[in-house]
Amino acid sequence: AHDVTAQRQEEKRLQAAEGRFRLLFEQNVAGMIRTTVDGRILECNEAFARMLGYDYPAQLLERRADDLFPGAESRAAFTAELQQLVRLRNHEVELQRRDGSTLWCLLNATRAPDPEGNLTLIEGSALDISDRKRAEEQLRVQRDLAHALATVTNIEDAAGVCLDAAIRASGMESGGFYILDPATDCLNLASWHGLSEEFARSVAVIAPGDPRHQTVAEGRHVYAHIRDLPGSDLSLRVDDGLRAVAVVPISHQGSVA
């Protein structure tokens, strides 16, 4: 009778411990996940699922761990490092959301034993540090822009430097930098990146009276779908793969430059 009582007490203790662990796993604000080394996702909590753009954890169980990384080589590098070190602490890694966008996470991961004692499992917790990474990149962009502008000697070269910085800071894939010609009052495309020659020619000069010119002259910022932007050939915009546009006028001493 004593042995049975002790056994039952031990079972209750283990059940209570499992319940506490399960509660911690499910309600933790950090994303938590368990996978096999070969990439099968066993479970994750709601925080991890939502961090990657899924509505609930079960949706992630239908995916492979490879799907959580921007490329197969990214997960291969991660698993190779984990296999060598067994445990990773405060490891910065880029993951991929459900919609294909990426985020940066601070990841703690360890190889864990399966019921047979073999290290075939990976247990991890992750925090989204994308905001911090963006802030760090903004500081780098500002520093690099200041250094680059110190070396240019004309406005055309400065336009290219500023455009490169704007693209880095915004994460956009293409863009153009216009300079106002005081003699004609036209906006002339001085530098561009990620645009076809044909499209660049079609938007090379924006004359007074054009709605786009008026928008810039008024100093208004515009963020819109490319189909809603007046002027230029819509088919060229579509052919160039443009989907959205941001117009950001730059002022100097109260006037758009």
Side-chain angles (χ1 to χ4, degrees):
H2 176 74
D3 289 343
V4 172
T5 300
Q7 182 179 352
R8 287 177 177 173
Q9 289 176 341
E10 179 65 14
E11 289 175 352
K12 289 181 178 180
R13 187 188 68 81
L14 292 175
Q15 289 173 357
E18 172 64 22
R20 288 193 298 270
F21 173 79
R22 177 56 49 188
L23 187 65
L24 176 65
F25 184 89
E26 293 176 351
Q27 297 188 0
N28 203 314
V29 295
M32 304 186 73
I33 186 171
R34 294 178 72 241
T35 75
T36 60
V37 171
D38 63 6
R40 186 161 53 93
I41 299 175
L42 301 176
E43 60 179 336
C44 73
N45 66 354
E46 185 173 345
F48 190 88
R50 292 194 177 279
M51 186 167 60
L52 294 186
Y54 294 85
D55 298 322
Y56 42 86
Q59 291 177 321
L60 259 177
L61 304 188
E62 302 170 357
R63 311 299 294 269
R64 300 275 302 173
D66 289 351
D67 299 330
L68 309 185
F69 290 79
E73 65 281 356
S74 299
R75 182 172 187 272
F78 164 74
T79 54
E81 188 171 4
L82 184 59
Q83 182 167 350
Q84 180 181 5
L85 299 177
V86 181
R87 178 176 299 169
L88 296 175
R89 286 289 179 265
N90 297 327
H91 182 76
E92 294 186 1
V93 62
E94 191 175 22
L95 298 181
Q96 182 167 279
R97 294 189 181 92
R98 185 183 188 182
D99 63 5
S101 62
T102 59
L103 73 159
W104 281 95
C105 289
L106 193 66
L107 182 68
N108 291 332
T110 185
R111 296 183 63 190
D114 59 22
E116 285 74 40
N118 301 312
L119 296 179
T120 63
L121 305 179
I122 297 176
E123 297 179 346
S125 62
L127 289 173
D128 186 348
I129 59 169
S130 299
D131 288 343
R132 193 197 82 189
K133 296 290 285 187
R134 279 192 291 269
E136 292 173 350
E137 176 62 12
Q138 294 286 344
L139 290 174
R140 283 192 291 268
V141 169
Q142 293 176 15
R143 178 201 61 201
D144 295 346
L145 176 60
H147 290 167
L149 285 176
T151 66
V152 301
T153 57
N154 57 71
I155 188 64
E156 288 77 16
D157 290 343
V161 169
C162 291
L163 177 61
D164 290 343
I167 289 176
R168 279 181 59 191
S170 66
M172 301 186 84
E173 299 172 346
S174 60
F177 194 102
Y178 286 85
I179 297 175
L180 181 66
D181 184 344
T184 63
D185 202 28
C186 289
L187 292 168
N188 297 324
L189 184 62
S191 180
W192 70 89
H193 175 86
L195 303 173
S196 68
E197 291 285 343
E198 184 179 10
F199 182 80
R201 284 195 300 269
S202 75
V203 296
V205 178
I206 300 178
D210 188 307
R212 295 169 297 175
H213 189 286
Q214 182 178 353
T215 296
V216 173
E218 294 173 353
R220 288 191 286 126
H221 292 204
V222 175
Y223 304 92
H225 192 282
I226 196 66
R227 295 180 182 274
D228 299 328
L229 185 69
S232 78
D233 189 332
L234 176 58
S235 64
L236 288 179
R237 303 180 217 165
V238 174
D239 290 345
D240 255 32
L242 302 179
R243 298 185 297 275
V245 63
V247 178
V248 183
I250 301 174
S251 298
H252 175 65
Q253 296 182 346
S255 300
V256 174

